[in-house]
């Protein structure tokens, strides 16, 4: 759990309020209001700023096709990596839009399966090296690990 001083050191200011939010099990997550603007902030304790580089690359790639949270800033404070994203309000009508976005995303095709970077969670390396065969990618780079 972060402190007021930690939040006040973020590159968004002035911080009006912050509160923990739920929804994930890997990172600490917060809703922060800074200068009247809401933000979603993810924090990974005891990690360098590089920790969120993979997520930012993924959001950028997905954002070329569908609306995704936009990275505002990232870095680390006191040895804790953070990623600041725009806050997206949700509501019941968003489920239909989500379904359409997922369908649009799955209409995209590539010659290979994978991604430009790998990512490590606390216990698992997500091996994203490019693979010409979907079945091999899924079995050996997702299921077996």
């Amino acid at each position: 759990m972060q402190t007021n001083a930690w939040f006040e050191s973020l590159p968004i200011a002035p911080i009006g309020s912050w509160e923990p939010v739920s929804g994930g099990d890997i990172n600490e997550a917060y809703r922060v209001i800074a200068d009247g603007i809401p933000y979603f902030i993810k924090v990974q304790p005891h990690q360098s700023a590089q920790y969120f580089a993979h997520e930012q690359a993924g959001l950028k790639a997905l954002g070329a096709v569908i609306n995704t949270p936009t990275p505002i800033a990232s870095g680390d404070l006191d040895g804790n990596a953070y990623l600041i994203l725009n806050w997206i309000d949700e509501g019941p009508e968003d489920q239909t839009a989500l379904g359409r976005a997922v369908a649009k995303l799955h209409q995209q095709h590539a010659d290979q399966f994978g991604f430009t970077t790998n990512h490590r969670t606390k216990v698992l390396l997500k091996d994203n090296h490019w693979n010409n065969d979907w079945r091999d990618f899924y079995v050996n780079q997702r299921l077996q690990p």
Side-chain angles (χ1 to χ4, degrees), residues 48-114:
S48 71
Q50 189 63 23
Y51 182 83
F52 288 113
H54 173 76
E55 183 166 349
Q56 290 181 81
L59 287 170
K60 183 178 178 183
L62 291 170
V65 179
I66 61 172
N67 183 31
T68 62
T70 303
I72 306 298
S74 66
D76 74 82
L77 289 172
D78 301 329
N80 298 315
Y82 67 84
L83 175 60
I84 302 173
L85 304 162
N86 61 310
W87 179 266
I88 299 176
D89 286 312
E90 59 182 292
E93 69 281 357
D94 290 341
Q95 295 304 307
T96 300
L98 175 61
R100 287 188 181 116
V102 170
K104 183 178 181 181
L105 184 63
H106 283 91
Q107 291 170 357
Q108 305 303 304
H109 300 280
D111 294 333
Q112 293 183 308
F113 305 91

Side-chain angles (χ1 to χ4, degrees), residues 17-34:
S17 65
W18 61 272
E19 63 182 329
V21 294
S22 62
D25 61 352
I26 296 173
N27 303 293
E28 295 176 12
Y30 301 92
R31 182 174 193 264
V32 173
I33 305 294

Side-chain angles (χ1 to χ4, degrees), residues 5-25:
W6 190 90
F7 282 101
E8 290 169 1
S9 297
L10 291 170
I12 52 173
I15 302 293
S17 65
W18 61 272
E19 63 182 329
V21 294
S22 62
D25 61 352

Side-chain angles (χ1 to χ4, degrees), residues 26-47:
I26 296 173
N27 303 293
E28 295 176 12
Y30 301 92
R31 182 174 193 264
V32 173
I33 305 294
D35 202 24
I37 300 169
Y39 296 94
F40 179 67
I41 300 182
K42 299 173 78 168
V43 178
Q44 181 57 230
H46 315 296
Q47 293 291 334

Side-chain angles (χ1 to χ4, degrees), residues 127 131 135-145:
D127 176 4
N131 192 319
R135 186 176 300 127
D136 183 65
F137 174 84
Y138 190 68
V139 169
N140 293 305
Q141 293 170 242
R142 290 298 181 266
L143 293 178
Q144 285 186 355

